[in-house]
Each structure stands twice: as structure tokens, then as C-alpha cells.
Amino acid sequence: MKVLLITTLYPAFPTQSRQQMSYALHDFAKNWVSMENEVQVIKIMPTYPTLFNLFMKSKIADQLNHSKSFTIDKVNVTRVPVRKYPKLNYQSKDIIHSVKHITSILSHNKPDVIVCHMMNPSLYIASLIKKQFKIPLVFSLHQTDINHLQNSQHKRYKFNNILHNIDKIGFRSDMLKEAYIKLGYCEKDTFLVYSGINKENIISGEKVKEKINRRSRVIFIAASMRKRKNIDILIRAFAHLKSFPNTVLKIAGDGPEKKKLIKLVRDLDIWNNVEFLGYLEHYEVLHHMEQADVFAMVSSSETLGLVYLEAMAKGCITIGSKGEGIDGIILDGINGYLCKPRDINDLRLKLIKALNGEFKADIVNNAVKTTKQMTQYYLSEKYLEELKKLHIIYERNKADS
């Protein structure tokens, strides 16, 4: 099968770090290629007039302003620049220009299906390409897309005008699907597009038993230190755990809130029980998860958060946020706990339950069991099945007409 993936959420060059850009969609593309499918990725690259690039290193900005083809893990990627003025909508002429460029790239290798992630401007581009090639279009919504539909009448008007061109809609979490339906849209022809974890990161049954029987009390969080991660709420809840004097809170990550968080720990007089680990590489985060008993992150506006799944896979009692992306995967009291994002007392109570070991064996075993159905390869297969079914239906309808 030939899949065309159009999105802004893709590395712009082969060596771009995972700190700079999410590789979540690349993991799908990489797995589809390993399943003997052809995948062409169009990385939409918003480019700004020279004046606005003064804040970037000029050489890097100049490179990214040009179209370029490259490969990452055997996935073919073409970076396509689209001109953008800050705080203004993409102009039609720039969208059309990018569409001409993309269709020329595809002229000798027509795809079977278009997969599009992110609405602005990727969906507008994908919709026009669908018309030219007369192939099905699958659009997957992210939190940013829902925000646009909720808060911008103009963007909602544009989306409504091309909704008929979309053959199937995917959602990165259950919560996004619910938000979409609340906006008055139909749930027909929709499905869920979860990201998954590496199978190798799931701990063995022997290690699960070790963690269940262990009596240490280590709470761990790995997150960028930004307001929406609500790390301050975790620190304040932790400060109330006076009945657990030997408990340690380990905080991995870096970001603009770091100085405030360090000051908060000092002000609450819990410095001796809190460790700031700084930025950790991914393998280091996984190591700390394996050593920890509880993973707690009650962030707001979280699409899914693979870090929760990774913590569950490492046998942590995992605490996430109600009404966010992990809600529906974590079932409160079954395979983890959920609490309100900025409710200190709610989080404190869930931490006490976790540290007291209430139903620890059941929760840890259920958590690990959950992640075995959420490996990246397995979920890539499920995603591909949706694309194949749609392609078959599309071809059948063409033959009948």
C-alpha cells in the first residue's frame, strides 16, 4: 500500500532531536515501511519572511526555507516550505503553490491514501491533493485542532467547508473525540489513533513481582518544566505526606519553571526529600521508572503522553489527570489513578493510596497488561488496517460507479 502522510509534526531534517520535534508520527511511518508498505512523508515547514528569521541562526533558517528530500529509518521525507506571517492565516496562493510542488513530487507515484495530521495548514493542503488524485483522505485531530475549532470561528468555518472531503477522522485520545462530538460533529467514520511504546520497554513478569514486593517509596516524574505540567501541584501534594517520612520525590526535566520549582521546594522545607535530576536521556528516564514505585503527572491539555504508558510498562503505580488524554487508558483504581489536574488534595489522597500499597499487586499487574496492548508496532498495525479498509471501499465504489 502507498501512504502519503502530510503533517507539520515531523522532523525537518534527519538529525533533529526529539527535544525539538516529536517523533510519534515517524514511529507510525517507520513501522508501516517495515510492514512492506510505501510511505511518502510531506513535512510542511512554515517559513517566515527574512525579518522574522533574525531571531534564528541565519544559516539554519535559510536551510529550512528550502525544499529538501531525505530519509529517516528508510522513510522518505520531503520538506515543503509554506510561507507564513506571524498571527496571520496562511494565504491561499501559498497553499496552492505548495500543492503544485507536492503533486509534482507524486506525479509518477500516485498514493493509495492520504493521511493528514494537524489542521492548519496540512489539512487544507491535503484536501486539495485529494481532489487531484481522487483518493481517500484520513485526518487525525490533535489538541491544537480542537482548540482551533473551539476558539476560532474562522478556522471552524474553513474546517466545515472541507469536512465533506474527509473520509475518516482519527483522534489522538478518547477525550479529543468527546470534545469533537460536543462541538456538534458526528462520530460516524471515526477511530482512535493512540501512540504506543516499544515492546522492549515492558518489564518482565519476574521484575513485576519484585516491584510489587518492594517496600521502597520513590515518587518519580519526568516532564518539561512548564506551567501546564503542574509540577508545582505535585510538589505541594508531596509536602503534605508527613506520615511517609522516608518517601523521596525525584523530578527529571528542565524548562522555564525550574527556578520557581526549586524555590517552592525550599519554601516548603522538603529539600532533603526532593531530588532535581535535570534533563535525562530517554533511556535514563526508563531506568528511573524501573526504580520508582509511583509515577505522578497531573498535567493539563495532554493529548496522550507516552510517558504515562512507559511508567505503567515499568510497573509504576501511575497517576494521571482526569479529562486529559490518558483518561480512558488509565482506569481509576484499576490500573492506576486519576485526579483533577490542579487539585492538591485529590492528588495527595491518590499518592497516599499508592504509597500505602492499596491493591498494589492488582494495579501494577493490570498496568503492565494494559501496555502489552499498546505497543507502537501493534497500534501501527491497527492504524494501517483502518487505511486499508478505507482504500478497499474506495476502490470498490469507483469500480461500481
Side-chain angles (χ1 to χ4, degrees):
M1 188 175 191
K2 297 178 182 179
V3 179
L4 172 64
L5 173 58
I6 302 176
T7 184
T8 53
L9 291 178
Y10 214 88
F13 48 92
T15 57
Q16 189 166 17
S17 74
R18 290 177 181 261
Q19 278 183 282
Q20 296 174 314
M21 175 56 66
S22 169
Y23 273 64
L25 299 186
H26 172 67
D27 289 335
F28 284 117
K30 178 178 65 176
N31 285 327
W32 292 340
V33 169
S34 73
M35 296 170 194
E36 299 184 351
N37 298 280
E38 288 186 39
V39 179
Q40 171 65 61
V41 177
I42 300 297
K43 155 67 178 182
I44 302 299
M45 188 74 206
T47 58
Y48 300 91
T50 306
L51 176 64
F52 298 98
N53 285 329
L54 292 176
F55 298 101
M56 299 174 64
K57 292 181 180 178
S58 58
K59 189 177 286 187
I60 295 175
D62 183 60
Q63 289 174 350
L64 297 181
N65 277 342
H66 292 84
S67 178
K68 184 175 177 61
S69 295
F70 52 92
T71 60
I72 309 177
D73 299 324
K74 299 181 180 180
V75 178
N76 296 320
V77 184
T78 299
R79 185 176 68 235
V80 175
V82 182
R83 186 162 52 185
K84 178 78 170 72
Y85 291 90
K87 297 185 179 180
L88 296 178
N89 294 314
Y90 288 92
Q91 300 201 9
S92 297
K93 64 178 182 179
D94 295 318
I95 297 290
I96 292 170
H97 179 75
S98 68
V99 168
K100 288 179 179 177
H101 180 40
I102 294 167
T103 51
S104 68
I105 294 169
L106 303 171
S107 59
H108 299 296
N109 194 18
K110 177 185 172 182
D112 296 314
V113 63
I114 304 171
V115 177
C116 174
H117 281 253
M118 298 294 282
M119 185 165 66
N120 190 30
S122 305
L123 179 60
Y124 311 138
I125 293 169
S127 179
L128 293 174
I129 292 173
K130 172 202 166 75
K131 284 184 178 180
Q132 290 199 28
F133 286 103
K134 295 179 174 54
I135 54 176
L137 168 60
V138 176
F139 172 50
S140 290
L141 278 91
H142 295 245
Q143 183 63 56
T144 303
D145 301 316
I146 293 294
N147 293 344
H148 285 326
L149 293 175
Q150 289 173 333
N151 303 322
S152 171
Q153 288 187 349
H154 176 74
K155 288 187 172 67
R156 187 162 181 177
Y157 174 78
K158 287 186 72 175
F159 177 74
N160 290 343
N161 277 348
I162 60 173
L163 185 57
H164 65 282
N165 283 333
I166 302 170
D167 297 282
K168 205 158 196 174
I169 294 181
F171 300 92
R172 299 292 277 144
S173 74
D174 300 78
M175 296 303 106
L176 293 183
K177 182 176 177 178
E178 285 184 21
Y180 179 80
I181 293 169
K182 282 181 181 178
L183 286 168
Y185 293 106
C186 178
E187 63 177 310
K188 184 183 177 184
D189 295 325
T190 64
F191 66 110
L192 293 170
V193 185
Y194 292 130
S195 285
I197 60 172
N198 290 328
K199 184 179 179 180
E200 296 75 22
N201 292 335
I202 303 175
I203 61 172
S204 65
E206 185 178 333
K207 287 186 177 179
V208 169
K209 289 178 183 177
E210 288 177 11
K211 292 203 74 167
I212 290 170
N213 295 324
R214 199 164 62 195
R215 290 294 173 261
S216 62
R217 286 172 175 164
V218 177
I219 301 169
F220 179 62
I221 180 174
S224 59
M225 292 183 174
R226 301 181 182 278
K227 285 185 178 181
R228 70 181 183 86
K229 295 297 182 179
N230 294 332
I231 300 173
D232 61 317
I233 300 301
L234 174 58
I235 291 171
R236 291 181 188 278
F238 177 77
H240 288 288
L241 302 178
K242 303 297 184 183
S243 58
F244 301 94
N246 298 319
T247 303
V248 177
L249 171 60
K250 297 186 177 184
I251 304 173
D254 206 346
E257 294 290 299
K258 185 171 184 177
K259 287 184 179 179
K260 289 181 183 179
L261 296 174
I262 290 174
K263 183 178 184 300
L264 178 61
V265 168
R266 292 190 187 279
D267 291 345
L268 293 171
D269 195 26
I270 53 173
W271 185 258
N272 291 335
N273 295 89
V274 178
E275 294 180 31
F276 285 91
L277 304 174
Y279 171 76
L280 299 180
E281 295 293 340
H282 186 238
Y283 74 91
E284 295 175 298
V285 170
L286 295 175
H287 172 74
H288 278 279
M289 285 175 172
E290 201 159 314
Q291 304 306 311
D293 303 284
V294 179
F295 180 90
M297 187 171 77
V298 288
S299 57
S300 305
S301 299
E302 194 77 61
T303 297
L304 173 59
L306 284 180
V307 69
Y308 294 108
L309 289 175
E310 289 173 333
M312 294 166 73
K314 291 299 182 184
C316 292
I317 297 177
T318 304
I319 303 174
S321 300
K322 289 180 180 176
E324 300 297 335
I326 199 63
D327 190 345
I329 295 173
I330 291 181
L331 305 176
D332 191 44
I334 305 297
N335 60 0
Y337 292 109
L338 294 169
C339 58
K340 297 172 185 176
R342 291 198 63 82
D343 190 322
I344 296 169
N345 190 54
D346 194 12
L347 177 54
R348 179 184 68 85
L349 293 174
K350 295 299 167 68
L351 287 171
I352 289 172
K353 282 187 176 183
L355 294 171
N356 276 333
E358 292 186 29
F359 311 110
K360 182 178 181 180
D362 288 340
I363 289 174
V364 171
N365 279 315
N366 288 337
V368 174
K369 184 178 179 180
T370 297
T371 61
K372 288 179 180 178
Q373 295 298 313
M374 298 207 66
T375 64
Q376 183 60 42
Y377 194 86
Y378 174 79
L379 293 171
S380 296
E381 284 185 312
K382 303 299 284 184
Y383 198 166
L384 188 66
E385 284 175 15
E386 296 287 346
L387 304 183
K388 285 183 175 179
K389 283 190 291 186
L390 184 59
H391 172 62
I392 290 169
I393 292 169
Y394 217 79
E395 290 300 304
R396 187 181 298 150
N397 290 341
K398 275 172 46 178
D400 292 341
S401 61

